[in-house]
Amino acid sequence: MNLILVGPPGAGKGTQGEILSKRLEIDTISTGVMLRTAIKEQTEVGKLAEKYINDGKLVPDDVIVAIVKERLSQPDCEKGFILDGFPRTVPQAEALTASGVKIDKVLSLEVDDSVIVERLSARRECSKCGAPYSVLYKKPVTEGKCDKCGGELIQRADDNPETIQNRLNVYHEQTEPIKAYYEKAGLLVKAEGADSVDDTTKNVFKALGLE
C-alpha cells in the first residue's frame, strides 16, 4: 500500500505511521525525522530548515521535494511506503501526482486544536539520545532525566504554546486544503484521534479496512 498520512502537528501521525509500518510491512518516510537529523548534524539543508521550523513555519517546497524524491527512489520503497509530512500543500500534492507516484489512500487524523496545544506543550525529548517523553502521558522514572541514558529532558523550541498555535494556523491555511484535493480524487479516509494510542489505532485500522 502506498499511503499518505495527513493531520495537524501532534495528531499522532508518527506513532500511527510506526504501527502501520509493522502491520503492512512497509517503511514510514517521515520528512520531519529527515529534517531533524539534518538539523542535528547541521548540514546545509539542516541549517536552512532550522530557522523555518523554530519560527513555526513550513520548510520551503523545493527543500522538501528534493528530500522526498530522493527517498522514494530507494529500493525499500518498491513494495509500498507511508508518507508522513509530505505533501503539505496542494502544489506539493499536485507535484507528487504529476511525478507518477501511485497513491492508494490518504488517511487524515482528526484532532481538535485545543487537544493539540495541550499535547505538544507537554512533549519532552532527551538532549542526548532523542528519546521521546511527555509530562502528561509518558513521564520518566526520574523527573527531567532520560530512562535510557540519563540525559537531560528538554522541550523542543517549536513546542511552546505560541509556536504551536502558529504551526496550527499554518496547517489550516496551507496543508488542510490537500484533504479536499484527495477527497475529490476519491482517496481520502478519516480517523478520529483518541486520547489513547490503542483507540486511535483501532480508528485508523477501521478507516483503512485493516480490521
Side-chain angles (χ1 to χ4, degrees):
M1 181 184 289
N2 295 349
L3 178 67
I4 292 174
L5 294 183
V6 178
K13 298 188 298 297
T15 300
Q16 294 304 317
E18 286 180 18
I19 293 169
L20 285 168
S21 178
K22 291 176 183 176
R23 173 70 169 78
L24 299 169
E25 297 184 341
I26 56 178
D27 284 339
T28 298
I29 301 167
S30 170
T31 50
V33 170
M34 284 188 280
L35 283 171
R36 282 196 291 276
T37 299
I39 289 169
K40 188 176 181 180
E41 295 175 354
Q42 286 292 285
T43 63
E44 190 90 16
V45 70
K47 291 177 182 177
L48 184 62
E50 186 173 33
K51 176 170 170 34
Y52 287 95
I53 290 173
N54 286 343
D55 288 342
K57 298 177 181 177
L58 292 178
V59 179
D61 283 0
D62 57 344
V63 178
I64 299 296
V65 169
I67 291 172
V68 174
K69 279 186 175 180
E70 184 178 67
R71 185 67 182 85
L72 288 179
S73 68
Q74 295 179 18
D76 61 340
C77 291
E78 289 178 2
K79 60 181 181 179
F81 54 81
I82 301 168
L83 276 178
D84 173 11
F86 181 88
R88 289 195 176 187
T89 62
V90 171
Q92 285 183 356
E94 291 172 341
L96 190 65
T97 301
S99 73
V101 175
K102 180 180 179 293
I103 299 299
D104 297 307
K105 287 184 180 177
V106 178
L107 173 70
S108 174
L109 278 176
E110 307 283 316
V111 183
D112 288 341
D113 282 10
S114 60
V115 176
I116 294 292
V117 173
E118 180 183 42
R119 189 183 290 178
L120 290 191
S121 297
R123 287 201 305 196
R124 300 292 185 272
E125 68 178 27
C126 177
S127 57
K128 289 184 178 179
C129 71
Y133 292 89
S134 168
V135 299
L136 292 177
Y137 308 112
K138 190 181 178 184
K139 298 178 182 179
V141 174
T142 303
E143 186 176 350
K145 298 293 181 181
C146 177
D147 295 342
K148 296 179 180 179
C149 72
E152 181 187 358
L153 300 188
I154 59 172
Q155 184 180 49
R156 276 169 40 188
D158 57 335
D159 278 347
N160 67 75
E162 185 179 351
T163 304
I164 293 167
Q165 192 57 59
N166 288 339
R167 292 167 67 199
L168 285 168
N169 292 341
V170 169
Y171 169 77
H172 292 308
E173 180 184 337
Q174 299 186 23
T175 303
E176 203 162 30
I178 73 172
K179 288 162 61 176
Y181 173 83
Y182 283 117
E183 188 168 34
K184 188 176 180 181
L187 299 176
L188 187 73
V189 293
K190 297 180 181 180
E192 290 294 326
D195 286 339
S196 78
V197 172
D198 287 348
D199 287 342
T200 301
T201 300
K202 288 177 184 175
N203 295 340
V204 166
F205 280 18
K206 184 176 181 180
L208 293 173
L210 298 174
E211 295 177 295

